Amino acid sequence: MMDTPRYRELKEKLAQQTDEKARIDTLVDLGVEVRSVDVEHASEIADEIIVRANAVAYTRGLGRGLNLKGSCYWLQGEYDTGLAVLKEALAIATRMRDRKLEARVLHNLGNIYRDMGDLANVLTHFEKALAINEELGDEFSQSVILTSISNLLYDLNDYDSALEYALKCLPIFERAHNTSSLINIYNTLGNIYFKKEQFAEAMYYFGENIKQSEPETPAYVMAESGLGKVYYKMQDFGNSSKYLTNALRESQLLGNAEVQIICHFYLGRLYMDDGNYRQALQSLNSSFTLADEYMRRHDLMSIHEVLSMLYDLMGDVPKAYFHLKTFEKLKEEIFKQKVIDEIKNLQVRQQIELAKKEKEVAERTALLKHQFMANMSHEIRTPMNAIVGMTRLLLAKDPKPEQLRYLNAIQLSADNLLVIINDILDLSKIEAGKIVIEHIDFNIREVMQSVRDMLMLKAEEKRIELRISIDRAIPKRLTGDPTRLNQILINLSGNAVKFTERGFVEVKATPRKKEGDKLWIQFDVTDTGIGIAPEHVNSIFDSFTQAGAETTRKFGGTGLGLTISRQLAGLMGGEISVKSELQKGTTFTTVLPFEEAKIQEDVKQASILGKESMQRLNKLKVLLVEDNEFNRMVAEDTLKETIPGIRLQVAVNGQEAINKLQKEMYDVVLMDIQMPVMDGVTATRAIRNTLPEPARSVKIIAMTANVLQEDVQEYFNAGMNAYVSKPFHSDELLLKMDSVLGNNSAPNNNKQEEKSTKPERTFAPLPAHVTDMNFLKQFTGGNPDKVQKYIGMFLENAPKLLENIDKALLARDYQAVKIAAHSLKPQLSYMGVKEDVSNIFLIEQSSGESAHYESLPQLINNLKRLCSKAFEELRNNK
C-alpha cells in the first residue's frame, strides 16, 4: 500500500473538501500519484472520477478522468482501448480550449504510440505537447515531455542526444522533489548509460531507483531488470540471473508486461551464451509472445534479431533467415514511418526543427553508408590483393603441371570474385538495379574447361564423375559475357556436385537455334543426385530457398546461387528451367544468346605494351609508398619480374615519401592511400603545393583498395594522375604507368573533443591460445620456412604498431591511432587472432568517431594484453 508524504497530503485534502468539483480535481492528483505504484488502484480512481464528473456535469473533470484512465490503459498494455479513451479526452480538451489538459493527453497518446513502435505519431504528439507547455511557461511539464523525447531518441539509437535531454530534466525534477518523475528520469538515464556501455553510471541510476521505490512495485522491478541486464553486459552472469529472475517473478505477480519482456529476453541471452539453446528458445519465445500480445514493435524487432542468432547457432538456417528478414523489415517500417510523418507535419514549428534534424541524420546516414561501402571495398580488396598477386608470382615460377592447374583455378576464381565484388560495391549500379553485361569475344571451350578445373577437386573428393561436353557445331569463339556465363555454370554445376553422392555430373553445351550471327546455346547441367521434390520445384529459384529444411540442414548453403543465376540469365536475354525427379537426379537448363565472333582463331596475346613502351618502363626510377608488408612484397616482386630494369625504392608512409622526393627525383610514385604518419591524399597535396619543381610535377598513381567514385574523385582533386585498384593486375599497372608518362601536363591544383570519465570496461579473460596457425599454414601451403618468415615479420612489425598506437593516443592523434590499427588488423588476422578477442576493428572504427574516443584507452590496454600473449605464443612456436 502506498504511503508517501504526497499521498498522505492528498488523502487529508480529499477528506476535508466539500465542493464536488474540488474533490474530483484532488482525486485526479491522487490517481496520478498512485499510478506509478499501483496502476489497478489508479484505474479504479479514474473510474470514480468519470462517474462523479458525469453526475455533476463537470466537463474538465471528465476530461482529466479520461486522461488518467487512458494512461492506466497504457501502463497495462491495453493500447487500442487506451488510444480510444485518450482521443475522447483530447476532444474534450480541444473543445474547452484547456491547453494544459490538451498537452497532457497528447503526451499520453505519444507514450502509447512509442510502446507500439509508431514513431511517426510519437513525434507528432510529443512535439505538439511540448509547444503548448512552452506557450504556458510550464517548466516542469516541459521537462516531463523532454524526458519522453529522451526516451524516443533512445529508441532511435541517438544516445548522445537522449542523454543531453535527460540531463537537462534531472535538476528540474530534483528541485521539485517529485519522486515519480525522478524515478522515471533515473530509469531513462540507466537505460541510456547501459546502451553507451557506461555500466558504472547505469548501475548507479538503477540502484537509486531500488532505493527510491517501494518493493514489489513496477518501478522497483523495472530497476531490478535494469541491474540484471547491466550485470549481463558486464559478464557477471550470477548476479544477472539473480536480478532478472527476481524481477520476472515479481513482474508476473504485478502483471507488468514490459519487465517480463525484458527479463525473458535477457534470460534467453544468458541461456544462449551458456549453450543451453532449448532453454534460450523457451525464454525468447515467452518474450516474443508478450511483446506480440502488447504490440511492442521495438521489443519484437530486438527479439527477432536475437532469435535469428539463436537459430543460426542451432543450425536452422531457414528460421534464422526468417527472423533476420523480419527484424530488418520491422526496423525499416518503424523508422520509415517517422520520416513520412515528419514530411506531412512540416507546418508545425517543432516539426520543422525535427525535419532539420532528420536532414542531418539522413546526411550522416549517407556518409555512414559511404564509409561502410568504402570499408567493405578496402577490407575485401586488401586480402584479395595478396591472393591475386602471390598467385601471379607463383605462376611465373615455372610450376609443375599439377600445381599450374591449381594456380589457374585460384586465379580464375579470384578474377570472377573481383568482378562480382566490383558490382556489389558500385553504389550507382546497386541503386539503379542494373548490372552491365559485357559484349566481348571469348573462347567457349576455355570457359567450360575452367568450370571443370574449379569443380574437379570436389568431384574427385566425392568420387563422382565430372563430364564436360561441347557440341562441335558451336563456334570456337563467341561474343558475349564470359564472366557471367562462367558464374551461371559454376552455380549450377557446383550445386549439382554438392547434391550428388554417387554417379556423375555432366555439363553439356548444344546449339539451340541460329538467326544470322545470333546463336542460342543450351547448357544442360545434369546430375544423379538427390533430386527435388515436386512441391519445391516451383520455389527453388526464390532467394534463400532450398529443397526443404532437411536439405538445408544436411548440405548447408544460403540458397542464393539459383536466384543469382536466373537474374543473370535474364539480363543476358536468356532463361533457366529445371526438371527433377526425387532420388534420381536433376537437370537445370539455361538457354543464352551469343553472337558468332568474327575472328575464330585464337591469337596468342602479345605483351600489352609495345617494345618502345617496355624499353621506357625499364629505365624508370619508381618510388613505392606502401605501409603493408604483405602488399609491399607483392608490388616489389611483381614490378621487378615484369620490368627487370626498374630502379625501385620504398617508403612506408606519405611523410617518408616527401622526404625522399626532396632529396632525389623519381619518374613515378605509386602511392597507397591509408598509411600511418601521413596518408596518400595528404602526401599528394603536400607534394603538389609545397615541393619545388621538378618534384612538384612527379607522376603519382594511387594504388588503393578504396575505389568508390567519391574516393577516386578525391584522389584526382588532390593532384594524382591515375589510380590502380587493389588487387592490381600487372598489365593494368604497366598501362597506367606508361599512360601517365605519356601525359606530361602538370596536374591541375586549385576539434576539440570533450573528455569524460568512463567506467572501466569489463573484458572477458583471454582464451588459452590467442593465436591459430591454421590460416597461415594454409596461406603458405604448409611451408615451415614461409610460416616462420611471416611470424618473424609479425613479431618485428606488431610491437612497432602498438608503440605507434600508444604514442598517438597520448598525443590525441586519433587519425594516427586509426591508421596504425588498420595496419595491425590484417597482421593479427594472419596470425589467427580473432576480432572478438582483439577488438582491433572496434579500435579502428572508434578512432574515426569523436563520440567514441573515450573508449579507446581501455580497448588499447586490452589489445596490448592480447598482443603480449600472442608474442609469447609465437616466440615459443619458432
Side-chain angles (χ1 to χ4, degrees):
M1 186 67 181
M2 189 169 190
D3 188 27
T4 64
R6 173 67 173 162
Y7 177 79
R8 291 194 298 271
E9 176 190 334
L10 289 170
K11 289 289 285 185
E12 290 173 9
K13 183 178 179 181
L14 184 64
Q16 294 169 4
Q17 285 170 330
T18 56
D19 181 74
E20 182 62 6
K21 290 183 180 180
R23 286 179 63 83
I24 290 171
D25 287 339
T26 304
L27 276 171
V28 172
D29 293 338
L30 189 66
V32 171
E33 181 70 15
V34 169
R35 183 177 55 190
S36 61
V37 175
D38 189 344
V39 69
E40 288 186 5
H41 186 200
S43 184
E44 291 168 1
I45 293 173
D47 289 335
E48 183 182 348
I49 292 167
I50 293 167
V51 171
R52 284 174 176 265
N54 276 321
V56 296
Y58 182 26
T59 308
R60 183 175 183 272
L62 176 61
R64 293 189 73 190
L66 290 169
N67 181 47
L68 176 61
K69 185 70 176 178
S71 69
C72 291
Y73 279 129
W74 159 52
L75 293 170
Q76 291 170 315
E78 298 181 38
Y79 300 137
D80 288 336
T81 309
L83 288 174
V85 171
L86 287 170
K87 285 176 182 177
E88 190 179 345
L90 184 61
I92 291 172
T94 305
R95 189 168 64 248
M96 292 182 61
R97 298 184 180 177
D98 187 334
R99 300 289 278 164
K100 192 163 189 174
L101 177 58
E102 185 181 351
R104 288 174 175 172
V105 178
L106 287 167
H107 181 216
N108 283 325
L109 282 166
N111 285 330
I112 292 183
Y113 285 125
R114 180 190 171 222
D115 278 0
M116 293 175 69
D118 186 351
L119 299 189
N121 273 315
V122 181
L123 283 168
T124 302
H125 289 83
F126 281 173
E127 289 295 321
K128 286 181 179 178
L130 184 61
I132 292 171
N133 283 316
E134 285 174 349
E135 288 175 19
L136 297 173
D138 188 338
E139 184 185 51
F140 185 87
S141 295
Q142 286 179 52
S143 298
V144 171
I145 297 168
L146 287 172
T147 303
S148 296
I149 292 176
S150 173
N151 288 324
L152 176 61
L153 291 165
Y154 170 89
D155 290 340
L156 295 170
N157 302 334
D158 188 353
Y159 305 126
D160 290 334
S161 298
L163 182 61
E164 182 182 347
Y165 273 84
L167 291 175
K168 285 179 181 177
C169 301
L170 182 59
I172 295 169
F173 294 145
E174 287 174 338
R175 285 198 301 270
H177 301 291
N178 189 294
T179 304
S180 61
S181 295
L182 279 172
I183 287 173
N184 190 24
I185 197 70
Y186 284 164
N187 185 63
T188 296
L189 286 165
N191 282 323
I192 294 170
Y193 281 121
F194 171 74
K195 285 294 186 180
K196 287 171 70 67
E197 296 190 356
Q198 294 178 231
F199 298 132
E201 285 88 344
M203 189 169 290
Y204 168 78
Y205 284 109
F206 287 134
E208 282 298 300
N209 270 356
I210 291 283
K211 297 175 187 175
Q212 297 266 4
S213 310
E214 294 291 326
E216 299 179 2
T217 63
Y220 189 89
V221 297
M222 180 66 78
E224 281 191 310
S225 70
L227 287 173
K229 63 187 185 184
V230 172
Y231 277 121
Y232 168 77
K233 283 290 188 178
M234 294 176 68
Q235 299 187 335
D236 185 344
F237 300 135
N239 271 320
S240 176
S241 179
K242 181 183 76 174
Y243 277 102
L244 290 171
T245 304
N246 287 343
L248 178 60
R249 182 181 62 255
E250 292 168 11
S251 61
Q252 286 170 336
L253 293 173
L254 291 168
N256 187 305
E258 182 179 2
V259 175
Q260 290 180 62
I261 291 167
I262 292 168
C263 293
H264 280 306
F265 178 77
Y266 279 98
L267 284 169
R269 295 189 68 172
L270 274 171
Y271 290 129
M272 184 171 72
D273 291 348
D274 197 37
N276 190 344
Y277 299 151
R278 183 187 62 81
Q279 193 69 40
L281 186 59
Q282 184 176 327
S283 291
L284 289 169
N285 281 336
S286 296
S287 184
F288 180 90
T289 301
L290 282 166
D292 189 44
E293 180 183 349
Y294 288 95
M295 297 180 291
R296 296 178 65 90
R297 296 211 299 165
H298 257 89
D299 292 328
L300 285 170
M301 183 176 70
S302 299
I303 297 164
H304 277 299
E305 183 181 24
V306 176
L307 280 171
S308 173
M309 296 161 58
L310 177 60
Y311 278 117
D312 185 40
L313 290 169
M314 295 170 71
D316 194 335
V317 175
K319 285 185 180 177
Y321 175 69
F322 166 77
H323 284 288
L324 180 61
K325 292 303 288 182
T326 308
F327 157 73
E328 290 173 346
K329 182 181 178 184
L330 201 52
K331 185 175 181 181
E332 182 180 353
E333 286 174 358
I334 290 171
F335 284 83
K336 183 179 179 182
Q337 199 174 31
K338 173 178 70 70
V339 179
I340 292 171
D341 188 77
E342 285 183 355
I343 293 171
K344 288 179 180 177
N345 292 280
L346 287 177
Q347 69 273 20
V348 182
R349 180 178 66 83
Q350 284 76 17
Q351 293 300 91
I352 293 173
E353 293 302 315
L354 284 171
K356 291 178 182 176
K357 176 72 174 175
E358 184 62 30
K359 182 174 182 291
E360 294 171 9
V361 172
E363 289 171 352
R364 178 162 176 75
T365 301
L367 176 63
L368 290 173
K369 182 179 180 183
H370 167 73
Q371 288 174 343
F372 170 76
M373 297 301 285
N375 285 339
M376 283 296 293
S377 170
H378 191 271
E379 295 307 317
I380 293 172
R381 287 174 176 276
T382 296
M384 284 297 294
N385 183 51
I387 294 169
V388 171
M390 292 183 183
T391 302
R392 185 175 60 247
L393 291 171
L394 288 171
L395 282 167
K397 300 290 186 183
D398 195 22
K400 297 175 183 177
E402 187 177 359
Q403 293 172 332
L404 183 62
R405 177 180 161 201
Y406 297 154
L407 289 170
N408 283 330
I410 293 171
Q411 187 177 48
L412 185 63
S413 299
D415 288 343
N416 284 327
L417 179 59
L418 281 173
V419 171
I420 298 165
I421 290 169
N422 287 336
D423 283 331
I424 292 172
L425 297 178
D426 189 331
L427 282 172
S428 62
K429 291 178 184 176
I430 294 171
E431 291 169 357
K434 59 186 178 181
I435 292 175
V436 176
I437 299 298
E438 285 190 313
H439 202 68
I440 60 174
D441 287 3
F442 68 95
N443 187 318
I444 187 172
R445 285 161 180 77
E446 289 180 357
V447 172
M448 297 283 279
Q449 186 59 44
S450 74
V451 172
R452 178 184 176 86
D453 289 343
M454 290 177 71
L455 295 173
M456 179 55 73
L457 293 177
K458 187 66 177 176
E460 287 178 353
E461 181 185 319
K462 299 184 75 172
R463 298 185 178 180
I464 58 176
E465 185 181 357
L466 181 60
R467 307 172 185 168
I468 303 288
S469 65
I470 307 172
D471 193 293
R472 292 179 180 274
I474 297 176
K476 185 177 181 181
R477 295 185 65 79
L478 301 172
T479 301
D481 192 330
T483 301
R484 299 305 175 190
L485 171 60
N486 180 274
Q487 190 177 352
I488 292 171
L489 294 179
I490 286 294
N491 280 339
L492 297 180
S493 50
N495 268 356
V497 171
K498 177 179 178 180
F499 294 118
T500 302
E501 296 300 329
R502 62 179 64 88
F504 67 88
V505 170
E506 182 178 43
V507 185
K508 182 168 64 174
T510 54
R512 180 79 170 261
K513 64 176 181 177
K514 186 175 182 182
E515 293 178 2
D517 288 339
K518 203 163 190 178
L519 177 66
W520 276 264
I521 298 178
Q522 177 173 317
F523 298 90
D524 294 302
V525 180
T526 303
D527 65 61
T528 55
I530 61 174
I532 305 168
E535 64 268 24
H536 293 299
V537 169
N538 291 332
S539 64
I540 198 69
F541 288 102
D542 293 343
S543 296
F544 298 96
T545 300
Q546 292 186 345
E550 184 63 32
T551 300
T552 303
R553 281 194 297 271
K554 183 175 180 181
F555 295 97
T558 63
L560 276 177
L562 293 178
T563 307
I564 293 171
S565 297
R566 182 174 63 175
Q567 291 172 346
L568 290 176
L571 288 170
M572 294 170 75
E575 59 184 14
I576 293 181
S577 59
V578 60
K579 292 180 181 178
S580 186
E581 190 173 347
L582 211 54
Q583 302 306 325
K584 292 191 176 179
T586 303
T587 296
F588 282 93
T589 299
T590 180
V591 180
L592 300 170
F594 297 95
E595 291 178 11
E596 186 173 349
K598 292 181 172 58
I599 300 174
Q600 285 296 311
E601 292 302 318
D602 285 328
V603 179
K604 187 173 182 181
Q605 187 174 357
S607 171
I608 198 161
L609 293 173
K611 184 177 180 181
E612 183 179 337
S613 292
M614 289 303 295
Q615 286 177 344
R616 177 164 53 170
L617 293 177
N618 262 294
K619 297 175 183 176
L620 290 183
K621 184 176 181 181
V622 175
L623 178 62
L624 172 65
V625 191
E626 169 66 72
D627 69 302
N628 187 288
E629 186 82 18
F630 299 99
N631 288 338
R632 195 160 62 237
M633 182 170 62
V634 168
E636 284 186 79
D637 290 354
T638 300
L639 287 168
K640 287 176 181 177
E641 288 197 8
T642 53
I643 318 173
I646 193 171
R647 290 170 292 160
L648 185 66
Q649 292 187 21
V650 172
V652 297
N653 58 63
Q655 184 60 59
E656 189 175 325
I658 292 172
N659 295 342
K660 286 181 176 288
L661 282 164
Q662 288 172 333
K663 296 175 182 176
E664 50 188 311
M665 186 56 196
Y666 299 88
D667 299 298
V668 176
V669 176
L670 302 177
M671 183 80 76
D672 185 30
I673 298 299
Q674 293 192 17
M675 294 180 292
V677 183
M678 183 183 289
D679 64 79
V681 172
T682 304
T684 299
R685 289 197 179 104
I687 291 167
R688 299 304 187 209
N689 296 323
T690 65
L691 295 190
E693 294 291 0
R696 179 190 294 246
S697 297
V698 66
K699 304 303 179 184
I700 304 176
I701 301 174
M703 295 180 67
T704 176
N706 295 338
V707 291
L708 292 180
Q709 184 176 353
E710 298 94 325
D711 297 318
V712 172
Q713 189 58 51
E714 184 184 10
Y715 307 152
F716 287 135
N717 291 344
M720 294 186 178
N721 303 90
Y723 80 95
V724 176
S725 64
K726 293 177 182 176
F728 67 87
H729 289 279
S730 55
D731 287 344
E732 181 188 8
L733 179 58
L734 296 182
L735 275 172
K736 289 288 174 72
M737 290 169 67
D738 185 63
S739 173
V740 298
L741 288 169
N743 177 13
N744 291 318
S745 60
N748 183 24
N749 293 318
N750 299 320
K751 182 173 194 174
Q752 285 184 348
E753 60 280 352
E754 294 180 5
K755 184 78 175 174
S756 64
T757 303
K758 202 172 167 74
E760 282 298 312
R761 178 188 293 265
T762 305
F763 292 98
L766 292 175
H769 294 282
V770 297
T771 58
D772 182 354
M773 293 295 98
N774 286 329
F775 173 81
L776 194 57
K777 287 176 182 175
Q778 292 173 2
F779 176 68
T780 59
N783 185 318
D785 293 334
K786 289 186 178 179
V787 168
Q788 293 306 321
K789 173 185 174 183
Y790 284 109
I791 289 175
M793 287 168 56
F794 175 77
L795 290 174
E796 181 180 349
N797 293 333
K800 296 175 183 176
L801 289 170
L802 276 178
E803 184 180 354
N804 291 343
I805 290 173
D806 250 353
K807 288 180 178 176
L809 182 65
L810 189 63
R812 297 189 185 181
D813 185 352
Y814 298 108
Q815 185 61 23
V817 174
K818 182 180 176 73
I819 291 168
H822 177 80
S823 298
L824 182 58
K825 182 171 56 177
Q827 299 188 28
L828 286 170
S829 177
Y830 279 113
M831 298 303 121
V833 179
K834 294 180 179 178
E835 160 59 25
D836 59 358
V837 179
S838 71
N839 292 299
I840 187 69
F841 179 77
L842 185 58
I843 292 171
E844 182 187 0
Q845 296 303 305
S846 298
S847 315
E849 293 288 340
S850 59
H852 301 303
Y853 288 166
E854 59 189 1
S855 67
L856 285 170
Q858 295 165 51
L859 287 168
I860 290 169
N861 282 336
N862 182 64
L863 176 66
K864 291 192 289 187
R865 180 174 67 119
L866 170 280
C867 284
S868 177
K869 186 171 175 60
F871 297 156
E872 182 183 353
E873 289 178 15
L874 293 170
R875 290 189 185 104
N876 292 336
N877 190 58
K878 286 176 71 70

